[in-house]
Amino acid sequence: AQKITQTQPGMFVQEKEAVTLDCTYDTSDQSYGLFWYKQPSSGEMIFLIYQGSYDEQNATEGRYSLNFQKARKSANLVISASQLGDSAMYFCAMREGFTVGFKTIFGAGTRLFVKA
Amino acid sequence: EAGVAQSPRYKIIEKRQSVAFWCNPISGHATLYWYQQILGQGPKLLIQFQNNGVVDDSQLPKDRFSAERLKGVDSTLKIQPAKLEDSAVYLCASSLSGDQETQYFGPGTRLLVL
């Protein structure tokens, strides 16, 4: 079964507007971590934001925020004030457990296109 | 602080040939990961090292893939012999420890097997 589901293969957003990229996850663990990475056409994976399962507040990093809804098992990424440079692939990932040996699983990704 | 270094950036080989990739993690990072990313998919973990020991290699095709991290710093990933389906980007990442710490990725090696 899919552990990480990103249902939007592609998304368009107008420059300067906000956009939400969806991510749902599946785990029976109580302890887990959720990540979002950006992958531009150059190929490098760039860390954006992290949310721990026990964190009560939604994580924020500059223009990025993570809308964490634990009961619904969703961890959507919100990008505010989109810029042309935000055009890239975005991956949601989950790490189950907080000890060595638990692998990180990535979703299939969402390609974001920012229009001028 | 220098990031994760990988070489080569691109490689084209014919099937049944051998190929090796090199990764130098961020200084001080104990955990090193190799991922395979096939076009249109998310990265898939191949192997994870904690210092020079293997923590997880459950998804490594051991009949043809091997990896080592002899001194607990840099690492090599080898494919021998390569198959067409090995065409992918091979990403190396490192983290301070093996827990929830963020993984930092290198630029990747794009492999094309003809």
Side-chain angles (χ1 to χ4, degrees):
Chain A
Q2 285 277 27
K3 290 271 189 174
I4 296 285
T5 303
Q6 294 181 255
T7 58
Q8 306 151 315
M11 287 280 288
F12 286 88
V13 65
Q14 194 68 41
E15 191 180 12
K16 298 179 187 176
E17 292 186 348
V19 63
T20 297
L21 305 183
D22 294 341
C23 173
T24 58
Y25 59 92
D26 181 27
T27 182
S28 56
D29 281 3
Q30 297 301 310
S31 300
Y32 52 90
L34 297 157
F35 302 81
W36 277 92
Y37 285 87
K38 172 184 178 182
Q39 189 174 45
S41 56
S42 60
E44 188 167 348
M45 298 282 282
I46 301 168
F47 166 73
L48 295 178
I49 197 166
Y50 166 81
Q51 179 88 39
S53 59
Y54 294 117
D55 295 340
E56 295 185 353
Q57 292 200 336
N58 287 342
T60 59
E61 289 286 348
R63 294 187 299 112
Y64 305 107
S65 60
L66 200 152
N67 184 1
F68 181 45
Q69 297 187 42
K70 195 170 183 176
R72 297 179 59 186
K73 294 188 176 178
S74 74
N76 299 339
L77 177 70
V78 180
I79 305 174
S80 63
S82 297
Q83 300 172 358
L84 295 178
D86 294 335
S87 293
M89 282 291 289
Y90 288 81
F91 290 95
C92 179
M94 175 177 67
R95 185 174 184 86
E96 291 175 298
F98 291 147
T99 58
V100 172
F102 287 90
K103 63 173 65 71
T104 300
I105 301 166
F106 286 79
T110 295
R111 183 169 294 280
L112 178 66
F113 299 92
V114 180
K115 300 181 289 183
Chain B
E1 179 182 82
V4 177
Q6 288 188 249
S7 67
R9 291 295 311 276
Y10 305 92
K11 192 74 177 177
I12 301 174
I13 62 173
E14 295 188 350
K15 60 183 179 182
R16 290 188 289 273
Q17 286 188 323
S18 302
V19 65
F21 312 129
W22 174 82
C23 171
N24 192 19
I26 292 172
S27 178
H29 281 196
T31 309
L32 185 148
Y33 314 78
W34 282 103
Y35 288 87
Q36 179 192 59
Q37 186 177 21
I38 293 172
L39 188 64
Q41 299 180 17
K44 181 185 82 171
L45 180 70
L46 292 176
I47 189 167
Q48 177 182 341
F49 292 94
Q50 179 78 6
N51 297 308
N52 60 350
V54 175
V55 172
D56 182 356
D57 63 356
S58 57
Q59 298 188 101
L60 186 74
K62 298 180 186 63
D63 57 334
R64 298 182 300 106
F65 286 64
S66 64
E68 61 183 14
R69 193 185 184 198
L70 292 176
K71 296 183 179 179
V73 180
D74 56 351
S75 174
T76 56
L77 175 69
K78 296 179 182 177
I79 308 175
Q80 180 180 7
K83 292 185 175 181
L84 297 178
E85 59 262 35
D86 298 332
S87 294
V89 176
Y90 291 84
L91 295 164
C92 179
S94 69
S95 65
L96 269 174
S97 61
D99 57 14
Q100 69 201 79
E101 288 290 335
T102 299
Q103 296 177 36
Y104 295 91
F105 285 79
T109 296
R110 295 176 188 263
L111 173 68
L112 179 60
V113 182
L114 302 175

